[in-house]
Amino acid sequence: PAPPRRQPMWMASWAPAASTLAPLPIDPALWHVAQASQQPAPSELPLGWSAQDAPDGQVFYACAITGARQWHRPERWGPDGHAGVWRWRVDDDGTRWYVRTDSVHKQAMAPRVGDAVVLPEGWLAAWDEGLRAHYYWAAAAPAPDPTWAFPSAPFREPAP
């Protein structure tokens, strides 16, 4: 058997504070979205990234949000899973929270999801295999209007 894992010192001091976080309710209507985003397609890049062809025919990878460009494939996964199951929101007091869509969990620290970028709350993504990029749409929009631009803010329904 493997030796028991020791809890890191920082985790012991952080755990009491983490236990005071109130869970966010998860909208049951979006549960199927969370389930669908748990396993990205094998060719899918991390959220926010696209594959481009260089003039010499080599493939390079670009992240429009961070401006990163690289020859090696970006990482889809990190210690906190992949970005498809995370969203961020901002409370009235300006606090940004990262929320898991597949469980009742939120945290103030950005999740470690490889090279991916986390979508704001209310947005969904789909991978376009032919264009090698994601497109995005607001889940609750009365008439969803897909966009290639990564959303920069949580979706808010327009006032009636």
Side-chain angles (χ1 to χ4, degrees), residues 82-149:
H82 67 90
V85 296
W86 288 93
R87 296 294 182 271
W88 63 265
R89 65 179 282 179
V90 178
D91 285 347
D92 292 337
D93 66 0
T95 304
R96 181 181 281 209
W97 292 102
Y98 294 89
V99 182
R100 281 198 69 112
T101 61
D102 62 347
S103 67
V104 182
H105 173 75
K106 73 176 184 176
Q107 63 189 46
M109 185 174 28
R112 297 165 300 161
V113 289
D115 293 317
V117 182
V118 175
L119 279 169
E121 187 176 58
W123 289 90
L124 300 173
W127 178 248
D128 185 298
E129 188 68 42
L131 295 176
R132 300 178 298 177
H134 288 96
Y135 58 93
Y136 310 93
W137 71 97
D145 186 19
T147 178
W148 292 104

Side-chain angles (χ1 to χ4, degrees), residues 47-50 52 60-71 74 115-117 150:
L47 285 173
W49 287 82
S50 64
Q52 308 289 324
F60 71 93
Y61 303 95
C63 181
I65 298 88
T66 65
R69 294 186 179 305
Q70 60 194 42
W71 293 109
D115 293 317
V117 182
F150 195 91

Side-chain angles (χ1 to χ4, degrees), residues 23-61:
L24 291 176
I26 302 300
D27 182 353
L30 295 178
W31 190 256
H32 69 283
V33 173
Q35 297 300 317
S37 15
Q38 286 184 10
Q39 288 297 329
S43 61
E44 187 174 342
L45 292 174
L47 285 173
W49 287 82
S50 64
Q52 308 289 324
D53 293 318
D56 65 0
Q58 289 188 55
V59 174
F60 71 93
Y61 303 95

